[in-house]
Amino acid sequence: MSAAIDSIIADVRQFNRFYTKTIGVLGEGMLGCGYSLSEVRVLYEIANGENVMAADLVRNLGMDFGYVSRILALFEKRGFLKRQRSESDARKSLLTLTTKGRKAFEALNQQARDEVAKLLEPLPSHQQLQLQSNLRQVQSLLDPVTRSTTVKLRTHRAGDMGWIIQRHGAVYEKEYGFNAEFEALVAEICAKFLRELDATKERCWIAELGDAPVGTIMLVRGSDGVAKLRLLLVEDSARGLGVGRMLVQACIDFAREAGYKGITLWTQSNLLAARKLYQSAGFKLEHSEPHVSFGQSLVAETWTLSLT
């Protein structure tokens, strides 16, 4: 086993110890209310599932059947649970919460939300977004259900601009050494997009892998009937899956529908993967100029695509 793998294993184990300790702290409030974490998980699965049976709980939660049965018996005794014979198999029962059970779940669910909110409260908003992105990425990498190569595109929604700013700042600092000047530029672009958005002529897309955002791009108004392509980003974990190509093509298709006669973009000569994408989509390099920005000596490039 290589030293690199040993290091990764050690970090995963360290994270497990930290996370289980943190979850234990969060669970103390529920335990104080007379419910174990296992009981809360069972209650959650029933409240949020459809046609839930005891066997589903055993499979989904990885719990012993006898233990699940005891929890269900306790819920019935407290008036939280009712059973209904399955129409497809009379030997099996469907589990649903009573009104009393639903109220108990809603109270516990709100308490859990409050506990997590308290955990997040000391973090500034950009670090909360970073944590959210990292947690989604961990799940997408390790969960066989979410670990899918199917990429979906959607338009932006509330909160996405914060993610776009944070990920551009982090990725470009790590990969190209760009300083905070670049993150500030991205923030200005996002703020202008939200303030002046014309939905008939402008759009922002988010690429998702499972439930995790892994890429983004914008198309905004330029001058003389030419649109601007901006803020292309693909996370390292999603590269090689065609995410960048999908995002660029989404821009081109929308620009045609919106009646633009062309698209222009501004990039840097050292962004080799992005340049390759633009070239393969039909963009032509029109102009290049050296400059010093973002703490680096760079060569700026202007690329254009004719749609007429």
Side-chain angles (χ1 to χ4, degrees), residues 2 59 150 181 194 201 207 231 283 297:
S2 69
R59 181 180 61 255
T150 302
E181 181 187 346
L194 289 177
K201 292 288 187 178
L231 301 186
F283 283 81
S297 295

Side-chain angles (χ1 to χ4, degrees), residues 169-196:
V171 170
Y172 278 81
E173 190 277 333
K174 177 184 177 183
E175 298 187 3
Y176 303 104
F178 285 13
N179 63 16
E181 181 187 346
F182 177 71
E183 190 170 352
L185 173 63
V186 176
E188 291 167 4
I189 292 170
C190 289
K192 179 179 174 64
F193 178 83
L194 289 177
R195 281 197 305 265
E196 303 177 10

